[in-house]
Amino acid sequence: GLGDVYKRQVPTHIRPDGRVHADFRNTNTDTGRLSCANPNLMAQPKRNKVWAKKMRNGFYAPDGWKIVSMDYSQIELRVLAEEANEQSMIDAFRSGIDLHTMTASEMFDVEMDDVDKLTQRLPAKTINFGIVYGISAAGLYRNMATVRGCEHWTQALAQQYIDLYLQRRPGINDYIRDTISMAKRYGRVWDWAGRIRRIPGARLVSEYNRAEAERQACNARIQTGAQSVIKRAMYELYPVYMGWRDMGYDVWPAIQIHDDIVSIVPEDLIDVLVPVQRTIMET
């Protein structure tokens, strides 16, 4: 099974220093994400099995160091709010309002304090994350059909909620329209940092294949844009890390996992590193 694959493969990559050093590639994905191989440390098993817990316990910092993990909160939704100039989302993020609860409140016409987490917040969250990635009424219906309390859902009702969402978020409607136009005109789209993804399918005659290309186009500017934020943060952090190393602090940049930057940090540097890194990542 999968457990045997992990248990057999990971130990074969241990280097002479007793640690695993994976290979990272910057040009292997369409979304701009880093990819990892030999072994793939971005896809370690979840903790719900005994063998998986034992595997994860193999990743630890030496005595005197700690593993520091700092990740972005809802980075893709924040990039979407910026790209779409959707003021309702921007206001929610700036004021610390839970975006999914706010969306549920609007969709189901209830006060935010009265939103039900399962039957109202969950579908709102699914739409928030899925709308730019081309979630369909059928897809939303499949997500909700097995949720307790949502047995009355139909595909038509799911479509109504998607339509209502887009009415409430005109900036996202404009973003989708403008991105599809960009893909059709240029055969490619690009994110805020200029990273390009080619979308040749946007000009196809086949409606099915063209729709898939349009979904990829809308997806690309957000996923790639989020990665560009994180890569910029890594770029800004590198000289700071090297400065600490020059001062005698043996801090190790360890791994980036999508929206998470993981480092191995001397315990006496943590109180200095965390606020500095947080400021760099946030700005």
Side-chain angles (χ1 to χ4, degrees):
L2 184 60
D4 290 330
V5 173
Y6 277 114
K7 286 184 285 188
R8 284 199 312 268
Q9 290 296 318
V10 173
T12 67
H13 296 286
I14 295 175
R15 303 280 180 90
D17 65 357
R19 305 190 76 83
V20 172
H21 299 265
D23 297 329
F24 294 89
R25 301 181 181 119
N26 194 29
T27 56
N28 234 40
T29 65
D30 291 328
T31 59
R33 284 181 166 180
L34 297 180
S35 65
C36 181
N38 302 320
N40 182 5
L41 298 179
M42 292 184 178
Q44 287 305 300
K46 294 182 178 179
R47 298 177 178 82
N48 58 353
K49 295 185 183 297
V50 172
W51 67 266
K53 290 178 182 177
K54 289 180 178 178
M55 284 286 300
R56 284 176 167 264
N57 287 340
F59 298 98
Y60 60 90
D63 291 342
W65 280 261
K66 293 287 187 183
I67 294 176
V68 174
S69 169
M70 300 182 70
D71 71 336
Y72 284 96
S73 168
Q74 299 181 343
I75 181 64
E76 291 184 359
L77 286 178
R78 294 175 192 272
V79 170
L80 171 59
E82 171 71 18
E83 290 285 7
N85 194 28
E86 176 48 57
Q87 198 59 48
S88 63
M89 294 174 70
I90 293 171
D91 290 345
F93 282 129
R94 284 181 171 165
S95 58
I97 294 172
D98 178 70
L99 183 65
H100 307 314
T101 301
M102 183 182 80
T103 301
S105 172
E106 295 169 346
M107 284 174 55
F108 297 100
D109 194 25
V110 296
E111 295 295 326
M112 287 181 56
D113 291 343
D114 298 329
V115 167
D116 182 88
K117 287 187 176 181
L118 196 61
T119 62
Q120 295 176 331
R121 187 180 182 277
L122 180 60
K125 181 178 180 179
T126 303
I127 292 179
N128 272 329
F129 280 115
I131 198 75
V132 174
Y133 303 128
I135 192 169
S136 63
L140 179 60
Y141 169 64
R142 281 196 301 272
N143 270 292
M144 300 310 302
T146 57
V147 174
R148 182 171 46 83
C150 295
E151 295 85 357
H152 65 287
W153 274 60
T154 62
Q155 190 167 317
L157 183 61
Q159 186 63 59
Q160 286 180 30
Y161 286 138
I162 290 174
D163 293 342
L164 177 61
Y165 178 89
L166 290 172
Q167 289 172 15
R168 292 295 189 116
R169 303 276 186 270
I172 293 181
N173 246 335
D174 293 343
Y175 164 80
I176 293 171
R177 184 195 64 229
D178 293 346
T179 301
I180 290 171
S181 296
M182 179 191 295
K184 288 181 176 177
R185 180 174 182 180
Y186 299 106
R188 61 187 184 275
V189 296
W190 51 90
D191 71 359
W192 66 269
R195 184 184 176 99
I196 290 170
R197 180 171 181 183
R198 301 192 184 282
I199 311 285
R203 297 171 176 171
L204 291 174
V205 174
S206 163
E207 185 174 343
Y208 175 83
N209 292 324
R210 192 173 67 247
E212 174 61 18
E214 291 171 355
R215 183 197 67 78
Q216 290 176 355
C218 293
N219 177 322
R221 291 180 64 196
I222 303 306
Q223 273 203 338
T224 304
Q227 279 301 297
S228 291
V229 171
I230 294 158
K231 287 177 177 175
R232 179 58 183 262
M234 293 165 67
Y235 172 81
E236 299 284 354
L237 281 168
Y238 180 77
V240 177
Y241 275 37
M242 293 307 103
W244 280 321
R245 291 179 71 89
D246 289 343
M247 289 187 287
Y249 292 102
D250 195 11
V251 55
W252 313 343
I255 188 172
Q256 182 251 65
I257 307 177
H258 307 324
D259 59 358
D260 191 357
I261 296 175
V262 182
S263 309
I264 299 176
V265 182
E267 291 180 355
D268 57 352
L269 182 62
I270 287 177
D271 289 344
V272 176
L273 179 141
V274 169
V276 171
Q277 180 159 327
R278 176 173 178 167
T279 298
I280 290 171
M281 290 177 68
E282 287 183 345
T283 57

